Structure formats: structure tokens, C-alpha cells
Amino acid sequence: MKRQKKQFLILVILLILCVAAYVGIRIYNQKQSEKEEAKEAAEKITLTDLKSDDITAFSYQYEDQTLEFVKEEDTWYYNKDKTIPIDSSKITSMLSGILSVEATDKITDYDSLSDYGLDNPSNTITVTTADGTTTLKVGSENTMLSEYYLMKDEDQTVYLSSTSVGTSFAKSVEDLTKEPDTETETEPAESESATE
């Protein structure tokens, strides 16, 4: 009987040790994960952190022209011709590419901006909010990494980013206009045939 009690006691102790070891490993892994996340957050380079609703104006280059858009009472207009009906959903979709831009690396020691296509940027995107203006210059693509070289505002640092901002701001004014409403266009033709 005593032997059975001893064996039972040993099993209980082993079980407690196993549970304690499991809990210890869980706590250790969680702390390691938190450390890793904190390290990643510290290394993260944020170039833009914007909200779509806060943007009141923006401009970018398209086919050697600078296209400027302005928002008035929640409606977007092409600055040069406000009679053109601009599709706000298309603007919102395009702006989503610049709201949260992060860099994977930065280069401060370089010989020439031409090495990164930033001596003559492929695009210069400027976004205005109540807090001020943010400008991103888009250089050439690093084809090995599928990332673009960027510069922000007057900062001479070259950033490398996997952002799609280089391609999302490649639209003409026509690309951003509202689609014609086919229903309203066919109504006059129907009324003419009714009078005949």
C-alpha cells in the first residue's frame, strides 16, 4: 500500500513538473515573440501615415504633366477644369497607395541620386492635409527586390520600399472621371420614339 502511495506521489510530482515546464516554455516563447515584435517595430521606417479623409489636395506627374486635384465639401475636382466629373471612389482607390508607406531600408551614403533614378524622378507625388504637405519622389525600381527607391520631402535619404505608389499614380484625368450614366443617355431617345 505504501509502495502504491509512493508511486502515486511520484506521478503527481512528475505531472506538476511537466505542467510547470510547459507553462515556463509558453511564457518564454511569448516573451521572445514580444521582443521580436518590439524589435521589428523599432526597425520599421514609416514614410507616410495618412488618412484618406484628411487629404484635401494632391498632385502627381503623368506624361510630363502635373495633374492637381482638390477636395471641396467632400467632392474631388480636377484643379484646371472643375467641370470634369471626377469619380471620388477612383480617387480614394488611388490615394490608398500613399496612405501608409513603409521603407524596408534606407541609404544615406551614396555617390549620386542618378544611381537610384532620383535625379529625375519618374513621379513626384504631393499630398496636402491640415497638418501640412508630404512629398514623395519615386525613383527607379530595384528589379531584384521588386521595390522602388523613394525620397521624402527635403530629406536627402534614399529609401527602399515595396510600395505600389509608383504604379498607382499612373492615371490620366480621363481614367479618374465618372463613367457616363447609360440609363440617362437612353431616356431622350425613348421619349423621341414615343412622340413619333
Side-chain angles (χ1 to χ4, degrees), residues 3-165:
R3 193 174 175 184
Q4 283 182 332
K5 279 186 179 178
K6 253 186 183 177
Q7 285 177 339
F8 180 72
L9 192 60
I10 290 168
L11 286 172
V12 169
I13 291 167
L14 284 172
L15 182 63
I16 291 168
L17 287 172
C18 286
V19 170
Y22 173 75
V23 170
I25 290 168
R26 284 288 300 266
I27 291 169
Y28 173 79
N29 286 340
Q30 189 174 345
K31 285 191 175 177
Q32 287 299 107
S33 178
E34 285 171 4
K35 276 184 186 176
E36 198 65 36
E37 284 175 14
K39 186 182 174 186
E40 284 176 13
E43 290 173 353
K44 191 184 289 184
I45 306 166
T46 302
L47 297 180
T48 65
D49 185 16
L50 305 166
K51 291 182 181 174
S52 183
D53 292 342
D54 294 341
I55 298 172
T56 54
F58 70 96
S59 66
Y60 63 96
Q61 292 171 323
Y62 180 78
E63 293 184 350
D64 298 326
Q65 282 187 312
T66 299
L67 304 182
E68 296 178 15
F69 296 84
V70 63
K71 184 164 68 173
E72 295 174 3
E73 295 180 3
D74 295 328
T75 302
W76 282 103
Y77 296 96
Y78 175 48
N79 216 22
K80 284 185 181 175
D81 186 352
K82 292 186 177 179
T83 62
I84 296 173
I86 298 299
D87 190 329
S88 293
S89 65
K90 290 179 181 178
I91 295 284
T92 302
S93 176
M94 184 166 67
L95 287 174
S96 66
I98 201 171
L99 298 181
S100 180
V101 178
E102 291 177 358
T104 56
D105 199 3
K106 64 179 180 179
I107 306 159
T108 53
D109 186 18
Y110 53 85
D111 294 326
S112 173
L113 289 175
S114 61
D115 296 337
Y116 310 101
L118 287 162
D119 57 327
N120 185 23
S122 61
N123 208 339
T124 299
I125 303 154
T126 303
V127 177
T128 303
T129 67
D131 295 329
T133 301
T134 301
T135 301
L136 279 186
K137 293 176 183 175
V138 183
S140 55
E141 183 184 6
N142 183 317
T143 50
M144 283 181 68
L145 300 172
S146 296
E147 296 184 336
Y148 284 89
Y149 293 108
L150 303 174
M151 287 181 80
K152 182 185 176 186
D153 300 327
E154 298 305 312
D155 184 0
Q156 291 302 299
T157 302
V158 174
Y159 296 95
L160 193 58
S161 175
S162 59
T163 178
S164 62
V165 74

Side-chain angles (χ1 to χ4, degrees), residues 177-192:
T177 56
K178 290 181 182 175
E179 298 292 329
D181 191 347
T182 51
E183 285 182 19
T184 53
E185 283 184 1
T186 54
E187 278 176 13
E190 286 174 7
S191 59
E192 280 175 23

